[in-house]
Amino acid sequence: MPGAIKMRRAEGEDPLSLLLTPPIDETHEEREQRLQREAEAVRVSEGIDEVIQRERDALKNQKVLKMLLLGQSESGKSTTLKNIQMIQAPDTWHAERSSWRVIVQLNLVRAVNTMLEALSSAMADGGSGSPTAEHPYLPQSFSTPQLPSDGQDDLDFASSTTPSSPTLSYQPLQFTDAHLSLKLRLGPLRRVEADLKKFLGAASEEVTESSLQGDYSSLAATPFDYPGQPSSSGKHREFAVRSHNAWKSTIMNDVQHDALRPTSPNNNATDVISALRDDMMALWRDDCVLELLRRRKIVLEDSEEYFLHHLPRIASRSYEPTDDDVIRARIRTLGVQEYHIPFQTAKPSNIVPLGTEWRIFDVGGARTTRHAWLPYFDDVQAILFLAPISCFDEKLAEDRRVNRLKDSVILWKSIVGSKLLENCTIILFLNKCDLLKKKLDSGVMVNRFIPRYGQRENNSYTFSKYIKEKFKEYMREYSPKARQFYGFFTSAIDTRATATTLASIQDSILQAHLQEALI
């Protein structure tokens, strides 16, 4: 072939050597160009090596705390992490706060679209408001076993068999032309939701039981189990992104070019949401729609209800997220997320910094991802373990056979019992105490789901104290060596209370038990 580069060829010659060998008919000019390219490649490689070495040298002179956030999905890890960022790195937190506007908008639009889907379905059924199939967000009930006496101390859970419930009959809901008009006018929100997801960067979505299709081989109850590969087939439940840094960068870049990109999804969403504010408020306040949600057992998340209550403020062209908005905003990220949080002076003066930087690893909590935790146990100095205390009557999204609180107990036993982690300080957050109180005050009975709770008082104080003592007992029983138990009751959305708890951890726990490891 004319112009083709002729290469030396020899029987058995190494392919890499052949690739690096200059062409036989290389001209002087081509040789000069090749040498320049090779010199540039060497320069770039040496530059990378220099950067890596500088980082290593910096780490030697810098006290870095490595912490893992562990717990099942929906345990409050991400919310707790945002509290840490807000307290320890306020400048970075405030600089990134505006990037959460899109996430808040997505949360709000998803909540409205959930109501719209229920309304459309009911109107298509001629106003039927009868309960439908099990809703994926609704805590499912367990059978009621015989209650044991108070003398039995082991924490156990009721069978996950769901008893048959009587068929309920309701009068048809009376939908009017106003409901039809609302449904039609709010239709563009479906496109807004799709555009925002695409803008943020959709990733593979979390595996739920429906997507496993009966194949539970990919589930690992603890990080020390070895499951097969997660299933990727079936219907998924929730939008997710691959990396927290990626979507923030996307948003910040879009914000910087707003004037040049008037048709960006960020601007389009804001325009549509602000234009439909009154219609969204009308839908959320409609008694017929609220009754429909109740009958169909569609439970909006607490964060979604929060944003709906603040809809007039959020659905505005001038909207800027507050700290409370960001704390409650939800965006699911897949895989292990690494955060570098530098210490700043905006903290109580009595706290002695244990490191100029915290490196926090937030690992996926679903049973399909726990096998990936193990590599991160190397050299970890602290583990913040979150167990949602309000979920004693709920099941795992990825395995509806398993009680969520029981799952936290299984995880806790495996972590405190690991020889790999015997020198690691483990801190327990019994989280979502606010939701526990709300649930028990509504009349939910603990002993229906935890028979051994017996006839103890059915209030949040007694139950919280009971569960904390159980976790303490499990640490004492399973830990390879004696260790101090640190347990706290938390509500991650309560930023003031969480700040106090985190200060207590940094001051009285980490300072006492980790300072030698950081020298």
Side-chain angles (χ1 to χ4, degrees):
M1 180 182 295
I5 297 177
K6 298 179 181 179
M7 308 292 292
R8 299 186 183 96
R9 299 181 182 274
E11 186 68 25
E13 188 172 3
D14 178 57
L16 181 58
S17 299
L18 179 63
L19 179 65
L20 297 176
T21 301
I24 297 175
D25 57 350
E26 183 180 46
T27 66
H28 176 74
E29 183 181 77
E30 290 172 339
R31 180 176 181 277
E32 290 297 322
Q33 293 175 351
R34 176 174 59 80
L35 292 176
Q36 288 179 6
R37 290 195 300 270
E38 292 175 356
E40 177 64 17
V42 170
R43 187 190 66 78
V44 171
S45 178
E46 291 176 347
I48 293 174
D49 291 340
E50 184 179 349
V51 170
I52 293 174
Q53 187 59 47
R54 282 203 304 267
E55 290 181 350
R56 288 175 177 171
D57 293 340
L59 287 176
K60 291 180 181 179
N61 300 320
Q62 183 182 37
K63 293 180 179 181
V64 178
L65 172 68
K66 179 179 178 182
M67 174 185 283
L68 298 184
L69 292 185
L70 300 184
Q72 63 186 220
S73 292
E74 306 301 324
S75 60
K77 298 194 301 295
S78 297
T79 305
T80 300
L81 180 56
K82 283 187 280 189
N83 273 287
I84 295 174
Q85 291 174 304
M86 183 169 60
I87 296 165
Q88 301 292 4
D91 291 346
T92 303
W93 170 266
H94 291 136
E96 294 183 349
R97 189 168 59 187
S98 61
S99 66
W100 284 88
R101 180 179 66 167
V102 176
I103 308 301
V104 172
Q105 290 175 333
L106 178 59
N107 286 191
L108 174 63
V109 170
R110 282 191 61 193
V112 175
N113 282 338
T114 296
M115 293 186 289
L116 281 177
E117 289 171 8
L119 178 62
S120 297
S121 175
M123 294 182 73
D125 292 341
S128 171
S130 301
T132 56
E134 208 172 65
H135 192 273
Y137 295 107
L138 184 69
Q140 301 302 319
S141 359
F142 297 88
S143 59
T144 306
Q146 184 69 31
L147 300 180
S149 66
D150 289 346
Q152 295 176 299
D153 294 329
D154 291 338
L155 184 60
D156 202 357
F157 295 83
S159 165
S160 60
T161 303
T162 304
S164 58
S165 55
T167 302
L168 301 177
S169 178
Y170 294 106
Q171 291 293 327
L173 293 169
Q174 300 299 315
F175 296 116
T176 65
D177 289 342
H179 292 103
L180 178 60
S181 297
L182 274 178
K183 184 170 74 76
L184 294 175
R185 290 198 300 270
L186 292 173
L189 290 179
R190 294 185 177 89
R191 178 59 184 270
V192 169
E193 180 178 350
D195 287 346
L196 288 178
K197 289 178 178 179
K198 184 177 180 180
F199 172 62
L200 291 170
S204 299
E205 309 211 5
E206 181 174 349
V207 177
T208 61
E209 187 176 58
S210 62
S211 68
L212 293 173
Q213 299 181 343
D215 179 12
Y216 296 98
S217 62
S218 65
L219 302 184
T222 79
F224 306 103
D225 299 330
Y226 301 95
Q229 294 298 316
S231 169
S232 60
S233 60
K235 182 180 179 181
H236 302 301
R237 186 183 73 171
E238 185 171 354
F239 166 76
V241 295
R242 286 288 180 193
S243 166
H244 65 283
N245 287 327
W247 68 258
K248 285 182 182 178
S249 299
T250 298
I251 293 173
M252 296 305 291
N253 181 68
D254 189 76
V255 169
Q256 293 172 2
H257 295 84
D258 268 353
L260 301 177
R261 298 163 60 185
T263 59
S264 72
N266 195 350
N267 287 330
N268 284 342
T270 301
D271 291 341
V272 174
I273 290 172
S274 60
L276 296 176
R277 177 178 55 192
D278 292 343
D279 289 331
M280 287 190 289
M281 290 174 58
L283 182 73
W284 169 237
R285 295 173 178 174
D286 188 274
D287 291 336
C288 193
V289 173
L290 295 179
E291 173 63 15
L292 172 64
L293 298 182
R294 186 189 69 80
R295 291 187 184 186
R296 296 205 169 185
K297 299 182 180 180
I298 298 175
V299 181
L300 297 175
E301 297 174 359
D302 291 317
S303 59
E304 292 177 331
E305 287 196 7
Y306 168 85
F307 293 129
L308 287 167
H309 281 301
H310 290 82
L311 199 156
R313 174 175 59 86
I314 295 171
S316 166
R317 285 185 174 85
S318 59
Y319 166 67
E320 288 296 331
T322 65
D323 286 343
D324 284 342
D325 294 345
V326 177
I327 289 294
R328 288 169 171 79
R330 294 183 69 257
I331 179 69
R332 186 181 298 281
T333 51
L334 301 182
V336 177
Q337 307 296 319
E338 181 178 353
Y339 298 81
H340 295 198
I341 302 180
F343 276 72
Q344 295 176 207
T345 57
K347 57 180 178 290
S349 58
N350 65 315
I351 296 177
V352 178
L354 300 179
T356 54
E357 179 179 281
W358 280 18
R359 289 198 174 181
I360 302 180
F361 297 83
D362 181 9
V363 297
R367 285 193 167 193
T368 51
T369 62
R370 292 177 191 173
H371 61 281
W373 294 5
L374 207 55
Y376 295 89
F377 290 169
D378 184 38
D379 295 330
V380 64
Q381 294 147 328
I383 287 177
L384 187 55
F385 187 100
L386 283 94
I389 197 173
S390 63
C391 63
F392 64 89
D393 62 339
E394 301 174 23
K395 302 178 188 178
L396 291 176
E398 65 269 31
D399 189 348
R400 310 297 289 178
R401 304 169 300 175
V402 180
N403 178 287
R404 285 189 62 194
L405 184 54
K406 181 176 182 179
D407 179 65
S408 286
V409 169
I410 293 171
L411 264 180
W412 175 254
K413 290 178 179 179
S414 72
I415 296 301
V416 300
S418 171
K419 289 284 291 183
L420 289 173
L421 303 170
E422 65 178 349
N423 295 319
C424 179
T425 297
I426 302 178
I427 305 134
L428 173 67
F429 274 16
L430 293 171
N431 196 32
K432 302 193 177 183
C433 290
D434 55 329
L435 299 184
L436 173 68
K437 186 178 188 307
K438 180 179 178 181
K439 184 174 290 186
L440 296 187
D441 287 349
S442 72
V444 178
M445 300 299 296
V446 172
N447 58 21
R448 182 184 178 192
F449 307 94
I450 306 178
R452 297 189 188 280
Y453 187 71
Q455 302 301 324
R456 295 173 177 84
E457 292 187 54
N458 197 73
N459 59 56
S460 58
Y461 174 79
T462 304
F463 178 65
S464 300
K465 190 175 179 181
Y466 172 80
I467 293 297
K468 182 177 180 180
E469 187 60 32
K470 291 302 176 185
F471 274 82
K472 183 177 181 180
E473 290 176 7
Y474 294 141
M475 171 174 275
R476 184 166 56 245
E477 178 181 355
Y478 287 90
S479 183
K481 65 180 184 181
R483 71 204 314 171
Q484 185 69 33
F485 174 77
Y486 300 104
F488 299 87
F489 298 118
T490 59
S491 173
I493 61 172
D494 187 340
T495 56
R496 291 186 178 179
T498 303
T500 302
T501 302
L502 292 172
S504 176
I505 289 173
Q506 183 185 344
D507 194 15
S508 63
I509 301 176
L510 299 182
Q511 179 173 306
H513 292 269
L514 300 179
Q515 197 158 16
E516 291 184 4
L518 292 170
I519 293 176

